[in-house]
Amino acid sequence: MPQTSLFSSPGSKEEIEEGSVLAPRFGPDGLMTCVATDASTGEVLMVAHMNQDALRRTIETGEAWYWSRSRCELWHKGATSGQIQTVVEMRVDCDQDALWLKVRVAGDGGCCHTGRRSCFYRVVTGDSEPSLVHS
């Protein structure tokens, strides 16, 4: 996934942490983690990944775009399901290597490919033998 940079190069630690320039730090695979939450309730909906093109398109369109690691392709969330994620707010973490999107979800309001609202529908329980319980 070789790409030319669409964003500013990271500067000093102080510029990255306190500056006003978006200089995202993508990993060696060209991706950064992105958490999407419901803009109204704060519920965590999903965790996905973005490359430079997905981030650029998200900023330009106001709708969430991701990089599908399983399909190795750019993915406009909701393009086929109708569950378009409209970005209400985008935040970057302190060292600019992770994103948080607060979104409104169209369609049936779901987010997970299993048909559920959130990808986080199971609770890990137990001590010596962890198991999963549907919430």
Side-chain angles (χ1 to χ4, degrees):
M1 207 179 339
Q3 301 173 18
T4 58
S5 181
L6 303 170
F7 301 99
S8 297
S9 297
S12 69
K13 182 179 180 195
E14 183 178 350
E15 290 171 328
I16 291 168
E17 294 176 351
E18 303 297 333
S20 59
V21 175
L22 178 61
R25 295 178 43 205
F26 297 92
D29 58 1
L31 302 175
M32 67 187 320
T33 302
C34 181
V35 177
T37 63
D38 182 283
S40 298
T41 67
E43 177 184 15
V44 176
L45 300 173
M46 61 183 279
V47 174
H49 298 87
M50 287 188 177
N51 64 3
Q52 289 186 37
D53 196 28
L55 179 54
R56 179 186 58 79
R57 288 185 187 209
T58 299
I59 292 168
E60 288 175 352
T61 66
E63 295 177 350
W65 287 75
Y66 301 106
W67 177 259
S68 171
R69 294 185 304 171
S70 61
R71 296 186 308 265
C72 293
E73 65 183 18
L74 199 58
W75 162 40
H76 181 205
K77 177 63 177 151
T80 57
S81 68
Q83 300 166 340
I84 300 285
Q85 293 180 351
T86 301
V87 178
V88 173
E89 183 177 42
M90 179 186 298
R91 293 184 179 220
V92 65
D93 75 337
C94 56
D95 54 0
Q96 298 201 40
D97 66 356
L99 292 166
W100 172 17
L101 300 183
K102 295 180 183 184
V103 300
R104 283 191 310 268
V105 182
D108 65 8
C111 220
C112 184
H113 75 280
T114 65
R116 293 174 173 87
R117 173 156 170 74
S118 169
C119 294
F120 294 91
Y121 55 89
R122 294 177 289 183
V123 177
V124 179
T125 63
D127 295 327
S128 60
E129 293 184 34
S131 62
L132 300 176
V133 178
H134 288 253
S135 60

